Amino acid sequence: MLANSNALILSAMSEIFDRDPRFSLIATSSTAEGFLGTVMRVPVQIGVVDWDLPVLGAAKLIEVLREHDAAPKLVVYGDGSGDLPRLAMTAGAAGFADRSGDTEALLATCADVAAGKMVFPFIDIRELQKDPIHSLSRRERTLLEALSKGRTNRELSKELGISTNTVKFHLSNLYEKLGVRNRAQAIAFYYAARESRGLGDRD
């Protein structure tokens, strides 16, 4: 499935994929909401999406789809000269295709992602470690915010509607992603990030 707010790009991409026997074009959409609504009803293996897709944007779209086991793998299609490939990777995309590249590169990227590969231009891994907030799932962000309010594991369990063992599992993953060892360090990280980047106002 293809999603792009530019009608001309969407039309051109549709023709490209229609001509390639390796792919079956299921649907197209000009919005993230339209894309989401379709892939929740119809099996889609690969999605090619614009990073600035209205209204949600690709980053939020990827975050929402993380919660669904049958979600398609997403290839972000955009400008590869800046920071976008890194942002796409940290958000959880499976691949990135530079819109300045040729059509064969786009098709090859999608074929590789369908085969289970991750496809990105060169990215300095050290840059990925600078902003761990992007690696958190929606559940983990909710957990971190609740943690900052002094909730116990039992209270977190009740508030989120999950078992205490599941809370412990999520906390373990949360600590690992943030590079902290315990609850106190995670809370300190939360307030430091909130002050410097406005974490409390993030979606």
Side-chain angles (χ1 to χ4, degrees):
M1 182 171 177
L2 310 176
N4 199 298
S5 59
N6 187 311
L8 291 176
I9 292 176
L10 198 56
S11 176
M13 290 176 69
S14 297
E15 290 183 15
I16 291 167
F17 281 95
D18 269 336
R19 289 199 302 264
D20 194 307
R22 294 174 294 177
F23 301 99
S24 296
L25 183 58
I26 303 297
T28 63
S29 177
S30 60
T31 66
E33 289 80 1
F35 181 92
L36 186 61
T38 299
V39 299
M40 290 294 98
R41 301 191 313 271
V42 182
V44 174
Q45 187 178 4
I46 301 293
V48 181
V49 300
D50 174 29
W51 183 252
D52 296 316
L53 199 60
V55 171
L56 287 178
K60 188 66 176 179
L61 177 63
I62 294 169
E63 181 182 326
V64 172
L65 287 173
R66 275 182 186 168
E67 309 295 327
H68 300 275
D69 294 335
K73 298 171 183 174
L74 296 189
V75 173
V76 172
Y77 182 70
D79 182 5
S81 62
D83 203 32
L84 191 51
R86 182 185 69 83
L87 292 174
M89 178 181 280
T90 54
F96 183 89
D98 192 336
R99 65 185 174 205
S100 66
D102 58 31
T103 57
E104 286 306 315
L106 171 61
L107 294 169
T109 296
C110 291
D112 284 342
V113 167
K117 299 177 182 178
M118 288 185 69
V119 185
F120 288 89
F122 172 77
I123 296 173
D124 189 338
I125 297 300
R126 292 170 298 182
E127 292 295 320
L128 298 179
Q129 298 168 345
K130 291 182 180 178
D131 197 1
I133 291 297
H134 284 299
S135 69
L136 300 184
S137 67
R138 182 169 51 178
R139 171 59 59 84
E140 287 165 346
R141 290 190 192 192
T142 302
L143 192 64
L144 179 58
E145 187 172 357
L147 203 64
S148 71
K149 297 173 182 175
R151 304 284 197 272
T152 64
N153 283 5
R154 186 173 299 229
E155 288 170 335
L156 289 171
S157 171
K158 185 176 181 181
E159 187 173 319
L160 300 176
I162 57 180
S163 71
T164 54
N165 282 338
T166 303
V167 167
K168 291 177 183 177
F169 172 77
H170 283 307
L171 285 177
S172 177
N173 286 340
L174 180 64
Y175 297 162
E176 183 177 349
K177 288 182 179 181
L178 296 182
V180 301
R181 295 181 180 178
N182 53 44
R183 181 182 301 250
Q185 289 180 355
I187 293 172
F189 182 97
Y190 172 84
Y191 282 111
R194 186 177 184 179
E195 182 177 342
S196 64
R197 290 179 303 218
L199 176 61
D201 297 325
R202 293 175 75 99
D203 291 331

